[in-house]
Amino acid sequence: MIADIISKLKNKEISALELTKSYLNKIESENPDINAFITVTNDSAIKEASNVDDLISKSENLDELFSKMPLLGIPLAHKDIFSTKDVKTTAASKILEDYIPVYDATVVSKLKSSGGISLGKLNCDAFAHGATGENSDFGPTKNPYDKSRVAGGSSSGTGAAVASEMVVFATGTDTGGSLRNPASFTNTVAIKPTYGRVSRYGIFAMSSSLDSIGHITTSAEDSALVLSQTAGFDPFDATTSKHPVENYLENIGADIKGKKIGIVKEYLSDEIDSEILEKTKSAINIYEKLGAEIIDISLPNSEYALASYYVITLSEVSSNLARFDGIRFGFDRDKFGDEAKRRIMIGTYALSAGFYDEFYVKAQKVRTLIIQDFKKAFEKVDAILAPVSPVMPPKIGEVVDDPMKNYLMDILTVPVNLAGLPALSLPCGFSSKGLPVGIQLIGDHFSEKNLYNLGYNFERISK
Ligand code: GLN
């Protein structure tokens, strides 16, 4: 927990340097096996940690210092699609193998200003295309709970690094589930904020109308603290919102008696793994015990969400990847992996003259219907509870050559992105094989504070 570490730093029970070194040691011993990091920034992390210790020793008012820099001394890492000044940023693709950005993504600079110490860059599916982490050109990330299985994707390194305590928290992106999926596979907590809540500036765009920038932590409270540092309007990203950033930690532990939680009948079909359904039911019981009112709801257009997502996403991917033409930066286009090539081809087809109305425009219309379904639901409920993944973490190699199987893993996560809603994914116990299972709480636009309140109360009973 970040709060515990901060209190130890404040009371001088540990130094930032000791703390950083202990995490770097963990990376040294665990990472060769797990493959969560693409780049480890040992030297700069040690330098930054010493600077933090200087700042602490010179400070006359530590409360003031830590309230200005709430993440002071906290070891973190970034998914390798966040631009980091002077630090190699590959998007897990060979096409960017040598690329060194000249500026930081807004989230990277915000977390620096909050005092966080970056230990490096994390593995993921190349350009964030995938749900298992196996589309990385730098090898798959292994699941710390069972190393023969994937850690989820696309933010595979983010989930695995947090779960195996190589960092305290890590950033990632969620275009169709890429934070919630690895969190549910690695027993960690992920926030996919409302679209436009966190700046996308400086992060390689996958699908610009869906990309959401969030993070993985080990608790709802840590997640709330980090979001309070990353959220907000950014003049460099015209899609960020001026909606005020709330104090997500205020009343996080408040009673949730009487809150209404919706259960979507279309999300609990027999296509979902039976143990995942069972765990979802046990989560519903916990909320009943906490005094929430459980209400059955329907999102009738859910069955069209995946098709609509893959038409819209692949169209936007084909346009966004056009910048890697081998002229301005990066290597030649033949360095693209199979999945990027597949997405460019399908996306270009969907956008081409004659097919545009039939595919792209139709998918956008379906998207509107999905948004309307959610809006209607939120007239009746404060949040929706659902499973995250329909399947347990696959074995490495099990689904990688079957794109349809891969895409079907996103069936419960993509509706949230299509509607631009926030969702919090929480650990919900383990399967009979000892594999982590996650649930997600979905809220109306800008209701992150409510999700954290619900998540915090859930953790109190489920942990
Ligand atoms: N698995 C989804 C896809 O491959 C989502 C990826 C993401 O959220 N970045 O498109």
Side-chain angles (χ1 to χ4, degrees), residues 191-389:
I191 182 76
K192 178 251 170 258
T194 304
Y195 180 80
R197 177 71 300 178
V198 177
S199 169
R200 294 180 292 115
Y201 178 72
I203 295 163
F204 281 112
M206 175 178 164
S207 181
S208 309
S209 76
L210 296 150
D211 294 347
S212 238
I213 313 309
H215 41 269
I216 289 185
T217 55
T218 53
S219 70
E221 187 179 324
D222 283 2
S223 185
L225 174 58
V226 175
L227 186 65
S228 69
Q229 301 306 299
T230 57
F233 173 72
D234 178 8
F236 293 125
D237 175 0
T239 61
T240 48
S241 169
K242 287 193 171 155
H243 192 95
V245 176
E246 289 167 284
N247 178 350
Y248 301 114
L249 286 165
E250 183 191 53
N251 297 329
I252 194 168
D255 202 337
I256 60 160
K257 211 168 272 159
K259 288 223 172 164
K260 296 189 174 81
I261 296 187
I263 308 298
V264 186
K265 76 167 186 249
E266 291 83 359
Y267 286 5
L268 300 181
S269 73
D270 36 341
E271 278 159 49
I272 316 289
D273 180 282
S274 61
E275 286 199 76
I276 295 175
L277 282 179
E278 213 177 278
K279 288 286 163 202
T280 310
K281 286 183 187 140
S282 70
I284 297 173
N285 289 340
I286 289 183
Y287 276 110
E288 270 175 335
K289 265 191 217 139
L290 286 164
E293 194 185 329
I294 306 297
I295 299 180
D296 289 326
I297 57 167
S298 168
L299 297 171
N301 292 293
S302 300
E303 66 175 298
Y304 310 115
L306 197 72
S308 154
Y309 169 84
Y310 271 98
V311 171
I312 294 168
T313 297
L314 272 45
S315 302
E316 294 184 15
V317 161
S318 73
S319 153
N320 276 326
L321 292 186
R323 76 195 59 172
F324 302 105
D325 50 13
I327 297 168
R328 284 165 295 179
F329 64 107
F331 292 106
D332 286 346
R333 292 172 77 75
D334 57 7
K335 291 254 184 178
F336 272 133
D338 287 347
E339 186 59 27
K341 285 182 188 157
R342 182 179 297 119
R343 291 185 186 222
I344 292 168
M345 284 191 284
I346 301 175
T348 307
Y349 182 78
L351 288 178
S352 57
F355 293 112
Y356 180 85
D357 286 336
E358 203 176 324
F359 293 116
Y360 186 72
V361 173
K362 195 179 248 173
Q364 290 288 21
K365 286 182 181 164
V366 172
R367 182 179 194 170
T368 301
L369 295 176
I370 287 165
I371 297 170
Q372 287 167 353
D373 279 358
F374 275 114
K375 281 293 174 193
K376 248 188 237 154
F378 288 122
E379 285 168 12
K380 286 194 237 149
V381 298
D382 300 302
I384 291 169
L385 189 161
V388 175
S389 168

Side-chain angles (χ1 to χ4, degrees), residues 32-36 140-144 146-151 160 396:
D33 200 14
I34 302 270
N35 200 24
T141 304
K142 293 183 191 157
N143 192 317
D146 175 349
K147 291 178 187 147
S148 69
R149 293 177 188 271
V150 305
I396 291 172

